[in-house]
Amino acid sequence: MIVTIDGPAGSGKSTAARALAKKIGYEFLDTGAMYRAVAYYCLCNSIPWEDHSAVAAALPKIQLDMPLGRILLNGVDVSQEIRSSQMAEGSSKVAVIHAVREFLVAQQQAIGRGRRIVTEGRDQGTVVFPEAELKVFLVASPESRARRRFEDLQKRGETVSFEDVLKKQYERDKRDSERAEGRLVAASDALTLDTTDMSIEEVIELLIREVEKRC
Ligand code: C5P
């Protein structure tokens, strides 16, 4: 069985997907980390995220491995480096490139094939696993999403203002929602859940009930 959890930044999907996978004994796939790793590779190799042909040409040099919730880029663990606000912006810029999506979608489908997996991202229920047994789309108010992200970045030691996080989030949502492929949109058969006033525990409980209904 495949469970997809899609939604915008800060909707709680990472935390919910990771915790759900643990509770039900499924594997967990964080597809945003893959876009972030591509952006990080470009940064380290002075390839501008906006230079679509240079980014596409670099893809054969990128090897991603995702053991136990970590991400290795050409054998080096970059799990921490990719979490910065700079990589949030970079990942959404490389995510508009057709070759990047083709490259990562194929890997995600290979990882999920024949497995019991909870996978999270933007296009998991629409493009990557349209046959998934349970599709969830999480939403939350822009302010509550930015608040969660602001707290995460503060914990990481980044000096950011709430206003700036909100503004960057707006720009990223716009890029993610308006691109040609793999847009941020709920699958027609997804269960949409507004997490604005829900605790993470409530979200997880609800998701477990939905999984149980399908077993
Ligand atoms: O979820 P996360 O914030 O880590 O995702 C970073 C970026 O990667 C998103 O803003 C989006 O542009 C891109 N992404 C995507 N498709 C996915 C997952 C992430 O385009 N399945």
Side-chain angles (χ1 to χ4, degrees):
M1 174 161 164
I2 293 180
V3 179
T4 63
I5 304 187
D6 290 305
S11 55
K13 62 186 185 329
S14 278
T15 317
R18 201 180 284 272
L20 175 68
K22 197 168 173 202
K23 285 239 170 176
I24 62 178
Y26 279 32
E27 286 177 58
F28 165 67
L29 178 62
D30 171 2
T31 62
M34 301 170 89
Y35 289 89
R36 288 169 181 263
V38 169
Y40 187 65
Y41 178 89
C42 293
L43 181 80
C44 295
N45 290 278
S46 307
I47 301 167
W49 300 317
E50 294 80 6
D51 187 342
H52 291 192
S53 44
V55 174
L59 295 174
K61 296 177 211 143
I62 298 179
Q63 160 82 37
L64 300 178
D65 295 291
M66 306 187 73
L68 305 167
R70 318 292 299 167
I71 182 157
L72 307 186
L73 168 61
N74 294 337
V76 178
D77 190 333
V78 294
S79 314
Q80 287 305 316
E81 290 80 350
I82 61 164
R83 290 289 141 213
S84 66
S85 49
Q86 190 187 19
M87 288 308 114
E89 182 181 345
S91 54
S92 76
K93 288 189 171 167
V94 297
V96 305
I97 304 171
H98 170 74
V100 171
R101 302 208 72 83
E102 208 174 41
F103 178 69
L104 295 181
V105 165
Q107 295 186 31
Q108 292 158 14
Q109 288 173 332
I111 293 170
R113 201 164 294 134
R115 292 233 173 88
R116 301 196 308 169
I117 194 163
V118 179
T119 174
E120 62 106 339
R122 303 291 185 286
D123 58 349
Q124 299 300 290
T126 49
V127 175
V128 184
F129 299 110
E131 74 291 1
E133 285 84 352
L134 172 60
K135 299 179 188 180
V136 180
F137 193 75
L138 295 186
V139 295
S141 74
E143 289 73 19
S144 69
R145 294 194 287 116
R147 175 68 50 199
R148 290 172 187 160
R149 178 98 194 115
F150 175 64
E151 285 165 6
D152 280 352
L153 290 171
Q154 277 194 321
K155 276 190 211 135
R156 280 182 45 86
E158 276 198 44
T159 324
V160 283
S161 71
F162 176 74
E163 289 66 33
D164 197 42
V165 172
L166 190 61
K167 179 170 165 281
K168 290 250 169 62
Q169 175 181 277
Y170 172 78
E171 291 165 0
R172 185 146 74 108
D173 284 353
K174 191 165 151 58
R175 260 195 306 277
D176 286 352
S177 311
E178 293 181 353
R179 67 183 172 225
E181 287 173 73
R183 271 183 304 124
L184 170 63
V185 63
S188 55
D189 50 351
L191 169 77
T192 297
L193 207 61
D194 187 333
T195 66
T196 306
D197 298 315
M198 290 175 83
S199 69
I200 186 66
E201 290 74 22
E202 287 171 322
V203 176
I204 296 163
E205 279 310 310
L206 197 146
L207 295 181
I208 291 174
R209 282 202 298 279
E210 292 299 325
V211 170
E212 283 168 355
K213 275 190 212 164
R214 286 160 179 84
C215 286

